[in-house]
Amino acid sequence: MQFDQGYDVIVVGGGHAGTEAAHAAARMGARTLLLTQSLESIGQMSCNPAIGGIGKGHLVREIDAMGGVMGRAADRAGIQFRTLNQRKGPAVQATRAQADRSLYRQAVRSLLDEVPALSLFQDTVHDLIVEHDEVRGVVTGMGLELRAAAVVLTVGTFLGGTIHIGDHNRRGGRAGDGPSIALAERLRAMPLRVGRLKTGTPPRIDAASIDYRSLNAQPGDDQPVYFSRWSRGDEHPRQVPCHITHTNADSHAIIRAALHRSPMYSGEIDGVGPRYCPSIEDKVVRFADRDGHQIFLEPEGLDTREVYPNGISTSLPFDVQIAMVRSIQGLEQAHVTRPGYAIEYDYLDPRDLHPSLESLQLPGLLLAGQINGTTGYEEAGAQGLLAGINAAARAGGLTPWVPQRHEAYIGVLVDDLTTRGTREPYRMFTSRAEYRLHLREDNADLRLMPVARAYGLISDAAWRDFATYRDAIEAERRRLEKTWIRPVDLGDDHGTRQLGQPLRREQSLMNLLKRPEMDYATLLSLPGAGPGPTDPAVCRQVLIGARYEGYLKRQSDQVARQARHEDEPLPVDLDYHSVAGLSAEVCEKLHHHRPATLGQAGRIPGVTPAAVSLLLVHLRRGRTRQSA
Amino acid sequence: MQFDQGYDVIVVGGGHAGTEAAHAAARMGARTLLLTQSLESIGQMSCNPAIGGIGKGHLVREIDAMGGVMGRAADRAGIQFRTLNQRKGPAVQATRAQADRSLYRQAVRSLLDEVPALSLFQDTVHDLIVEHDEVRGVVTGMGLELRAAAVVLTVGTFLGGTIHIGDHNRRGGRAGDGPSIALAERLRAMPLRVGRLKTGTPPRIDAASIDYRSLNAQPGDDQPVYFSRWSRGDEHPRQVPCHITHTNADSHAIIRAALHRSPMYSGEIDGVGPRYCPSIEDKVVRFADRDGHQIFLEPEGLDTREVYPNGISTSLPFDVQIAMVRSIQGLEQAHVTRPGYAIEYDYLDPRDLHPSLESLQLPGLLLAGQINGTTGYEEAGAQGLLAGINAAARAGGLTPWVPQRHEAYIGVLVDDLTTRGTREPYRMFTSRAEYRLHLREDNADLRLMPVARAYGLISDAAWRDFATYRDAIEAERRRLEKTWIRPVDLGDDHGTRQLGQPLRREQSLMNLLKRPEMDYATLLSLPGAGPGPTDPAVCRQVLIGARYEGYLKRQSDQVARQARHEDEPLPVDLDYHSVAGLSAEVCEKLHHHRPATLGQAGRIPGVTPAAVSLLLVHLRRGRTRQSA
Ligand SMILES: Cc1cc2nc3c(=O)[nH]c(=O)nc-3n(C[C@H](O)[C@H](O)[C@H](O)COP(=O)(O)OP(=O)(O)OC[C@H]3O[C@@H](n4cnc5c(N)ncnc54)[C@H](O)[C@@H]3O)c2cc1C
Ligand SMILES: Cc1cc2nc3c(=O)[nH]c(=O)nc-3n(C[C@H](O)[C@H](O)[C@H](O)COP(=O)(O)OP(=O)(O)OC[C@H]3O[C@@H](n4cnc5c(N)ncnc54)[C@H](O)[C@@H]3O)c2cc1C
């Protein structure tokens, strides 16, 4: 049975990847269908009710600069906002928000509903339509055939999902939702590499059963913080604090005594779990000398009594979960509302993808989100955005967008995935980016809005706004460079008071701004320096540009140097053993991965910059020889 | 594995029956656990996004008078309110609200979260713990054993649920949710009578694809209407209109041509469907001469583009659904977001229940909602409330609440179910009540709050409020009876103007109020008659009492007469053939049903009041003979 005339893009899955993908494709004008198991669970947060954090907040700002959903939804649903690393450099400062689960779902749904070219449909995909080795659509559980120029698969943890609690296990895509078995079997029958990963979630606790008197509260920031440049500043609902408690020696003893009943240690689970988001049993085993781990008690929303105890993800048997929870200060009488559990699921090896996220083996199929071996809403959303854009690009005959590592964390993410693959759930960290100082939260819009505009994701009005902002930064930079202050303008006293020392010779305002102790307000208070821009964001950009000028320039030079070699092709038949100076181990690795370019070679784990230089020398020599 | 110390009451299922049951039991102080498949779907409306209507609105007010959830939740989630039958008598006036699905879920959840004795837990029940022929608890899918003095089962359409769309069918409890198979099998193995019913739902439509220009809008009432006496009057969210369209000859032709592909007509479905809420294919077949049926296009919420087309529930194949939808005015370009479907499920014969909703065969087990063969949120909620109260009563050693037919629609509902059973999904109508004039929406609180107070469901403050209200009505009645107006007080002119005719002789205000053309404002404007009560609800009660005095008295007398015989026992070994004058058919029926009392006999369908009189005579004669 065929349904309708067909679509440009079909997105399968209404999670964080799927909603960004569908939103982006439809905003580009592609007739888009978002097909998901249950329309009720669109935008559902499967695990912790929070968006952002270090590295992740960066992704949210990038998604937002591209006109995406996540930042705006988090602004409407966030019940506690914080800027992390406020005392550190701007590269690692990041925004994090606790979210009200139900408000978050609502916000996502209503942002999708604003896009005319986007249609929703509730059904489960059981198969792909493959014709002439290309993916041309999907077949649903109801037997519908739906056709499209591109299909984006974003089925998260649902493929062949198995839920574990102690030695009890059952099929499921997430607690309360069925797994995707038929589709998993079909994908395993296709020429795709499939692996198995796992992740986990903590038990939830009834706030009414928590004794908060003994716990420290952690409020959000005083100043309102926003993820989205599209938010007007009145979107936040009521703000609430979190509370902090800790596991202790008793909790750890309870866990140790029960390890043989944990599905992870008894051998029940094969899938590899996220190293950076370990279960509490992992932490107790791996950090055996620590006798306490911090737990944030995060409210699940404004209108619910459920609390998410961040830090005790577990798949121990339920009786052990209860004993462990009740050994913790403040939780002595805790009522658990949902058990913690681990989930094992199929993922597809992302090395089988182009950096556009399109399948190497099956053109027309794009993959995004947890299915590519990542973990986290932000990682999923970022990939979804990219895949959505590239699906619409395919349908509309445009060049795909392939962000580079120095342009965006999204570039780092897909480059890492598609060239290195992953053997454990991959999450974003600022340390994964070489050009951190360029990839700040605060300049995500400056980096990406021009791209977004080129792909038709930014309205005329928004683009005018942005241009005004960008021009204001440029104008202010020029103004500061051209405005000079002389010692006589200040007088000794004045100079000492405001500059911390007398001004010895004439200086441009820009040079003064570069001084580490200078802030913008002080600068503008100097005679003839004010009034300056009204938008504090403009000042911030100028300040960061001035203060980190040296570092930024050094990184730009590196990018340029890198770029020169990045695309240098490595011959397919290159005999790495013939490359002088390479260690046996590096040879082995290169031989195994067969990178297409020098850039890719350099990103294979274990291949050092020195090895890359040797490769470069080898290539040069080869060329000289050839041309000789 | 055993969980905790045990509970007083365990409620299984977080639908409309389950949430009322858990809320009521916990407010009575019973330690209550609400156990449901997914905490996310608590309060989910499976089908139409509306609460109330004729007969149903009455149930909502009764639930509300007992301190229940539904009325308050509807007030917080309602996006269009109407008082139906406003030109008819007060007995059949009723409130109806369209609801925002997502706000409704939220409201239910937060009302539950307000009750300290209530805990939630997410898991699926697979079995009952039965010991010494009593139910003592439940066993969950995770293998947990949870114990309680009483278990309330409210699993709706989930027992052995099968979803049908054309010839395609699959297991499911409702679209997007898994069925309850393990529990269905266990119940079928117990000494309970199990039957099969079905119900259906229409496809949903994307508002953006509807051409509203050609359709008539139906707004809500101008005056704000509230279900709940606990609402303060500022709970309503933004109000929106519905739109009206119709099926036509084309639609009917499409349906007729596809009837052989309908699972209901092809014999795929055995379960009996709701007569009063038929599918569109049923309507086309049963009312073959009509060439159009009305459809209300009801928004599913404020923040969503989905629309519920009320009136075209169907399980036709999906391609037929689309063709049928697009044959309708305004829907020519409609995009369907979810298919319509029928669901077949197990129900338990409610004749196996005490009127307290406790199982005859399995003490400690109470059943409420769709599992008892009803349909509708309100019917489910009303039973849930009753079962919750009686579960807590069992746990606390109190007498169960058994509302009578003249006290409440809830009484009519459970009496109908437990004495007559049902062979099709049962829904409430005002015509089912003999004492309609007593069972009004407007006096639900006067009828039931004293009961609620006796069971500990009403706080001291609320009770004081209520007492003030009740006393004010009594005081006003007495005042109107004692205040007399003489012709001289009025003067001819005045009398004619305000009374429509001159006052001939001295009259009490009460007598004047009884005149059909008199309204309260006019009465109070007579010299010496004012100022009267400030609360318009007080005036309304006094007015209805005055105007319908005669009818009300007659019904009260009937109730009294009925009551005298209601409990008259019928000997178990009574030989109905020996009762003079009974028709063979009635004899057969009585013999088959073996009613325990004269009251029950009278409610067996086909047993006429005349037959009951014959039985009464027979009993009297028997007694006289014995005593002779
Ligand atoms: C138990 C658990 C614990 C987690 N723990 C963490 C953690 O500690 N830290 C962290 O960062 N992240 C964690 N996550 C991961 C986080 O939830 C995901 O990274 C994120 O939700 C992935 O988004 P996604 O869009 O790829 O998939 P999902 O959000 O899973 O969305 C998948 C969507 O696809 C739909 N779908 C599935 N199959 C089909 C089909 N065949 N047809 C149609 N629709 C289908 C589903 O209904 C769903 O809407 C956890 C997830 C789970 C389930
Ligand atoms: C397709 C469809 C069409 C309908 N059409 C109409 C209509 O036209 N008119 C009308 O008035 N009514 C209709 N209804 C009925 C209306 O939805 C129900 O009357 C009402 O929801 C019944 O409430 P309930 O509480 O009995 O059950 P439900 O609302 O169904 O709730 C049952 C609850 O039990 C939970 N549950 C099930 N099994 C288990 C288990 N083993 N363990 C734990 N939890 C469990 C479920 O998750 C759910 O929360 C329809 C329902 C459906 C599904």
Side-chain angles (χ1 to χ4, degrees):
Chain A
M1 192 194 319
Q2 200 174 326
F3 178 38
D4 276 0
Q5 71 296 9
Y7 291 89
D8 294 326
V9 174
I10 291 176
V11 177
V12 183
H16 308 278
T19 51
E20 295 292 354
H23 188 253
R27 277 180 317 127
M28 283 172 62
R31 284 165 310 141
T32 305
L33 186 72
L34 174 59
L35 217 162
T36 189
Q37 283 181 318
S38 162
L39 294 184
E40 243 59 72
S41 68
I42 281 183
Q44 168 101 347
M45 305 177 119
S46 313
C47 185
N48 58 325
I51 294 287
I54 298 163
K56 290 169 173 270
H58 292 74
L59 287 170
V60 179
R61 296 276 173 133
E62 292 183 354
I63 294 170
D64 190 63
M66 299 293 295
V69 171
M70 192 169 272
R72 270 181 285 179
D75 282 346
R76 295 189 198 173
I79 56 177
Q80 188 195 85
F81 285 80
R82 290 171 63 209
T83 302
L84 308 178
N85 280 343
Q86 249 172 324
R87 306 234 181 92
K88 298 197 182 160
V92 295
Q93 288 186 12
T95 312
R96 180 180 189 277
Q98 288 285 124
D100 177 304
R101 257 179 225 291
S102 157
L103 291 178
Y104 192 84
R105 264 199 315 257
Q106 259 175 61
V108 170
R109 180 68 191 269
S110 73
L111 287 164
L112 295 185
D113 277 346
E114 284 170 12
V115 186
L118 176 56
S119 301
L120 308 180
F121 189 66
Q122 174 169 302
D123 204 347
T124 301
V125 168
H126 279 193
D127 202 354
L128 302 174
I129 303 175
V130 183
E131 284 167 3
H132 309 296
D133 294 330
E134 295 204 355
V135 170
R136 295 277 168 82
V138 300
V139 184
T140 75
M142 225 201 306
L144 292 183
E145 293 191 3
L146 296 150
R147 290 178 169 267
V151 171
V152 186
L153 214 54
T154 69
V155 292
T157 52
F158 285 68
L159 284 181
T162 306
I163 288 177
H164 296 264
I165 303 174
D167 58 2
H168 175 82
N169 65 64
R170 65 169 185 281
R171 310 309 307 248
R174 146 174 92 194
D177 286 313
S180 219
I181 302 295
L183 181 62
E185 279 166 7
R186 288 297 302 139
L187 290 173
R188 279 186 176 258
M190 294 183 183
L192 304 164
R193 284 181 281 179
V194 180
R196 203 86 176 136
L197 290 174
K198 78 140 231 285
T199 184
T201 195
R204 309 300 151 84
I205 297 171
D206 185 342
S209 68
I210 298 177
D211 182 0
Y212 283 105
R213 287 168 307 179
S214 60
L215 305 180
N216 281 332
Q218 186 193 51
D221 287 358
D222 293 337
Q223 292 296 318
V225 182
Y226 279 84
F227 273 113
S228 175
R229 77 169 340 265
W230 317 99
S231 292
R232 292 177 317 269
D234 58 355
E235 281 85 355
H236 289 347
R238 181 159 60 83
Q239 301 293 295
V240 297
C242 297
H243 287 80
I244 296 173
T245 183
H246 297 85
T247 58
N248 52 42
D250 283 353
S251 333
H252 295 192
I254 292 167
I255 292 167
R256 268 192 215 100
L259 276 183
H260 61 287
R261 295 173 60 204
S262 152
M264 268 154 42
Y265 290 89
S266 67
E268 273 282 315
I269 297 186
D270 308 322
V272 184
R275 190 183 334 171
Y276 307 100
C277 202
S279 65
I280 183 68
E281 48 270 35
D282 272 344
K283 289 195 256 188
V284 166
V285 170
R286 269 163 44 193
F287 311 103
D289 50 331
R290 289 194 40 193
D291 53 7
H293 293 280
Q294 189 160 258
I295 303 169
F296 289 92
L297 298 175
E298 307 177 336
E300 294 250 325
L302 293 174
D303 274 338
T304 164
R305 257 164 42 185
E306 278 190 288
V307 166
Y308 179 92
N310 198 344
I312 51 167
S313 165
T314 181
S315 58
L316 286 164
F318 190 58
D319 56 333
V320 183
Q321 295 187 20
I322 298 215
M324 184 259 286
V325 164
R326 294 193 181 153
S327 73
I328 295 168
Q329 192 179 12
L331 307 183
E332 295 83 357
Q333 308 286 330
H335 169 72
V336 169
T337 55
R338 318 191 198 202
Y341 64 92
I343 184 163
E344 254 191 316
Y345 54 92
D346 285 359
Y347 80 108
L348 304 186
D349 191 327
R351 289 172 303 179
D352 290 346
L353 299 174
H354 291 284
S356 65
L357 294 180
E358 186 167 359
S359 166
L360 294 172
Q361 295 90 340
L362 293 171
L365 177 67
L366 294 94
L367 302 174
Q370 195 108 357
I371 194 176
N372 287 337
T374 62
T375 173
Y377 311 130
E378 304 81 0
E379 289 81 354
Q383 291 170 69
L385 172 89
L386 184 65
I389 291 172
N390 289 335
R394 180 183 157 95
L398 306 176
T399 325
W401 179 41
V402 177
Q404 301 299 304
R405 298 183 73 87
H406 64 276
E407 291 172 328
Y409 274 94
I410 306 182
V412 175
L413 176 65
V414 291
D415 187 61
D416 279 353
L417 289 176
T418 57
T419 62
R420 302 186 182 194
T422 184
R423 268 192 237 125
E424 59 182 71
Y426 176 102
R427 69 158 281 186
M428 187 45 73
F429 293 100
T430 48
S431 58
R432 297 200 189 268
E434 299 81 351
Y435 311 113
R436 264 194 292 296
L437 206 51
H438 276 91
L439 305 186
R440 305 188 309 274
E441 271 201 4
D442 63 71
N443 70 348
D445 44 8
L446 293 165
R447 290 184 277 124
L448 296 178
M449 273 185 67
V451 180
R453 174 70 175 171
Y455 279 97
L457 290 161
I458 303 291
S459 73
D460 291 349
W463 182 248
R464 275 194 302 273
D465 265 13
F466 170 73
T468 309
Y469 169 65
R470 195 173 50 175
D471 294 349
I473 296 168
E474 233 6 87
E476 174 68 356
R477 275 203 186 116
R478 276 197 305 274
R479 189 181 75 88
L480 297 190
E481 267 155 12
K482 285 190 326 208
T483 313
W484 291 75
I485 294 227
R486 293 168 307 173
V488 295
D489 298 334
L490 281 180
D492 268 12
D493 245 34
H494 197 108
T496 313
R497 225 179 321 114
Q498 279 167 290
L499 305 180
Q501 62 191 85
L503 191 65
R504 305 253 176 253
R505 53 186 187 78
E506 198 183 35
Q507 288 279 15
S508 73
L509 288 179
M510 187 58 98
N511 270 340
L512 286 177
L513 187 60
K514 286 177 189 163
R515 297 187 172 185
E517 71 284 0
M518 177 63 75
D519 63 49
Y520 226 91
T522 309
L523 185 79
L524 294 180
S525 74
L526 298 178
T534 46
D535 181 354
V538 170
C539 302
R540 187 173 158 82
Q541 287 307 314
V542 175
L543 176 68
I544 293 175
R547 183 152 306 157
Y548 298 94
E549 194 189 21
Y551 300 100
L552 285 167
K553 180 148 184 343
R554 216 172 308 150
Q555 285 197 356
S556 299
D557 292 346
Q558 261 176 42
V559 171
R561 229 176 303 130
Q562 189 80 28
R564 253 176 282 138
H565 308 313
E566 172 69 32
D567 298 330
E568 184 108 17
L570 288 169
V572 220
D573 55 354
L574 178 61
D575 177 12
Y576 288 102
H577 297 286
S578 71
V579 179
L582 282 189
S583 76
E585 199 198 324
V586 168
C587 255
E588 187 46 49
K589 288 214 157 113
L590 291 167
H591 191 76
H592 177 75
H593 285 279
R594 291 240 149 256
T597 63
L598 213 54
Q600 286 187 10
R603 289 189 298 278
I604 297 170
V607 177
T608 56
V612 175
S613 304
L614 291 173
L615 279 174
L616 187 62
V617 171
H618 182 86
L619 292 176
R620 291 285 140 79
R621 210 174 284 155
R623 220 167 301 153
T624 333
R625 222 173 308 157
Q626 274 176 359
S627 53
Chain B
M1 191 196 317
Q2 198 173 329
F3 179 36
D4 276 0
Q5 72 296 9
Y7 291 89
D8 294 326
V9 173
I10 291 175
V11 176
V12 183
H16 308 278
T19 50
E20 294 293 354
H23 189 250
R27 275 180 318 127
M28 282 172 63
R31 282 165 310 141
T32 304
L33 186 72
L34 174 59
L35 217 161
T36 191
Q37 282 180 318
S38 162
L39 294 184
E40 243 57 72
S41 69
I42 281 184
Q44 168 101 347
M45 304 177 119
S46 313
C47 186
N48 59 325
I51 294 287
I54 298 163
K56 290 169 173 271
H58 293 75
L59 287 170
V60 179
R61 295 277 172 134
E62 292 182 356
I63 294 170
D64 190 63
M66 299 294 293
V69 171
M70 192 169 273
R72 269 181 284 179
D75 282 345
R76 295 188 198 174
I79 56 177
Q80 187 194 88
F81 285 81
R82 290 172 61 208
T83 302
L84 307 178
N85 282 341
Q86 248 172 326
R87 305 233 181 93
K88 298 197 182 161
V92 295
Q93 287 185 13
T95 312
R96 181 179 188 277
Q98 288 284 124
D100 177 306
R101 258 179 224 291
S102 156
L103 291 178
Y104 191 84
R105 265 199 315 256
Q106 259 176 58
V108 170
R109 180 69 192 268
S110 73
L111 286 164
L112 295 184
D113 276 346
E114 284 170 12
V115 186
L118 176 56
S119 301
L120 308 179
F121 190 66
Q122 173 169 302
D123 204 347
T124 301
V125 168
H126 279 192
D127 201 355
L128 302 174
I129 304 175
V130 183
E131 285 168 1
H132 309 296
D133 294 329
E134 296 204 355
V135 170
R136 295 278 167 81
V138 299
V139 184
T140 75
M142 224 202 307
L144 292 183
E145 293 191 3
L146 296 150
R147 291 176 169 266
V151 171
V152 185
L153 214 53
T154 70
V155 290
T157 52
F158 285 68
L159 284 181
T162 306
I163 288 177
H164 296 264
I165 303 174
D167 58 2
H168 176 83
N169 65 64
R170 66 168 185 281
R171 311 307 308 248
R174 144 175 93 194
D177 286 314
S180 219
I181 301 294
L183 181 62
E185 279 166 8
R186 288 298 303 138
L187 290 173
R188 279 185 177 258
M190 294 184 183
L192 304 164
R193 283 181 283 179
V194 180
R196 202 85 176 137
L197 291 174
K198 79 139 230 296
T199 185
T201 195
R204 309 301 151 83
I205 296 171
D206 184 342
S209 69
I210 298 177
D211 182 1
Y212 283 106
R213 289 167 306 177
S214 60
L215 306 179
N216 283 331
Q218 186 193 51
D221 288 358
D222 293 337
Q223 293 295 318
V225 183
Y226 278 84
F227 273 114
S228 175
R229 78 173 334 269
W230 317 99
S231 291
R232 293 175 319 265
D234 58 357
E235 281 86 353
H236 289 347
R238 182 158 59 84
Q239 302 293 292
V240 296
C242 296
H243 288 80
I244 296 173
T245 183
H246 298 84
T247 58
N248 53 40
D250 283 353
S251 333
H252 296 192
I254 291 167
I255 292 166
R256 271 194 212 100
L259 276 183
H260 62 287
R261 295 174 61 203
S262 151
M264 268 154 45
Y265 291 88
S266 67
E268 272 283 313
I269 297 187
D270 309 322
V272 184
R275 189 179 339 169
Y276 307 101
C277 202
S279 64
I280 184 67
E281 48 269 34
D282 272 345
K283 289 195 255 187
V284 166
V285 170
R286 269 163 44 192
F287 311 104
D289 51 330
R290 288 189 46 188
D291 53 8
H293 293 279
Q294 187 159 259
I295 303 170
F296 289 93
L297 298 176
E298 308 177 335
E300 294 248 324
L302 294 174
D303 273 338
T304 164
R305 256 163 42 184
E306 279 191 289
V307 166
Y308 179 92
N310 199 342
I312 51 166
S313 165
T314 181
S315 58
L316 286 165
F318 189 59
D319 55 334
V320 183
Q321 295 188 20
I322 298 217
M324 185 260 287
V325 164
R326 294 194 182 154
S327 73
I328 295 167
Q329 192 177 13
L331 308 183
E332 295 83 355
Q333 308 286 332
H335 169 73
V336 169
T337 55
R338 317 189 198 204
Y341 65 91
I343 184 163
E344 255 192 315
Y345 54 91
D346 285 359
Y347 80 107
L348 304 186
D349 191 328
R351 291 173 301 181
D352 289 347
L353 298 174
H354 292 284
S356 64
L357 294 182
E358 186 166 359
S359 165
L360 294 171
Q361 293 91 339
L362 292 171
L365 177 67
L366 295 95
L367 302 175
Q370 194 108 356
I371 193 176
N372 287 338
T374 62
T375 173
Y377 310 130
E378 304 81 358
E379 290 81 353
Q383 292 170 68
L385 173 90
L386 184 66
I389 291 172
N390 288 334
R394 180 183 156 97
L398 306 176
T399 326
W401 180 41
V402 178
Q404 302 299 304
R405 297 183 73 87
H406 64 276
E407 291 171 327
Y409 274 93
I410 306 182
V412 174
L413 176 66
V414 292
D415 188 60
D416 279 353
L417 288 175
T418 58
T419 62
R420 301 185 183 195
T422 185
R423 267 192 239 127
E424 59 183 73
Y426 175 102
R427 68 159 280 185
M428 187 44 75
F429 293 101
T430 48
S431 59
R432 297 199 189 268
E434 298 81 352
Y435 310 114
R436 266 192 292 296
L437 207 51
H438 276 92
L439 305 187
R440 305 188 308 275
E441 270 200 4
D442 63 69
N443 70 349
D445 45 7
L446 292 165
R447 292 184 276 123
L448 295 179
M449 273 186 67
V451 180
R453 174 71 176 170
Y455 279 98
L457 291 162
I458 305 292
S459 72
D460 290 348
W463 182 248
R464 275 194 302 272
D465 265 11
F466 171 74
T468 308
Y469 170 64
R470 192 172 55 176
D471 294 349
I473 297 169
E474 235 2 273
E476 174 67 356
R477 276 204 184 113
R478 276 199 304 274
R479 188 181 76 89
L480 296 191
E481 267 155 13
K482 286 191 323 209
T483 313
W484 291 74
I485 294 230
R486 291 168 308 172
V488 294
D489 299 333
L490 280 181
D492 268 10
D493 247 33
H494 196 109
T496 311
R497 226 180 320 117
Q498 279 166 292
L499 305 181
Q501 63 189 87
L503 193 65
R504 307 249 176 253
R505 53 185 187 79
E506 199 184 34
Q507 289 279 17
S508 72
L509 288 179
M510 187 57 96
N511 271 339
L512 287 176
L513 188 60
K514 286 177 187 161
R515 297 188 173 184
E517 71 284 2
M518 178 62 78
D519 63 49
Y520 225 91
T522 310
L523 186 79
L524 294 181
S525 74
L526 298 176
T534 47
D535 181 352
V538 170
C539 301
R540 187 173 157 80
Q541 287 308 313
V542 175
L543 177 68
I544 293 174
R547 182 151 305 156
Y548 298 94
E549 192 187 23
Y551 301 98
L552 285 167
K553 181 153 183 338
R554 216 173 309 149
Q555 285 198 354
S556 298
D557 292 347
Q558 264 176 40
V559 171
R561 231 175 304 127
Q562 190 78 28
R564 254 177 280 134
H565 308 314
E566 172 67 33
D567 297 330
E568 184 105 20
L570 288 170
V572 220
D573 56 354
L574 179 58
D575 177 11
Y576 288 102
H577 297 285
S578 70
V579 178
L582 281 188
S583 75
E585 197 200 325
V586 167
C587 253
E588 188 45 49
K589 290 217 155 113
L590 290 166
H591 191 76
H592 177 75
H593 285 279
R594 292 236 151 260
T597 64
L598 213 53
Q600 286 187 11
R603 288 188 300 277
I604 296 170
V607 176
T608 58
V612 175
S613 303
L614 291 172
L615 279 175
L616 186 61
V617 171
H618 181 86
L619 291 176
R620 287 287 141 75
R621 211 175 279 155
R623 220 164 304 150
T624 334
R625 222 173 307 154
Q626 273 177 2
S627 53

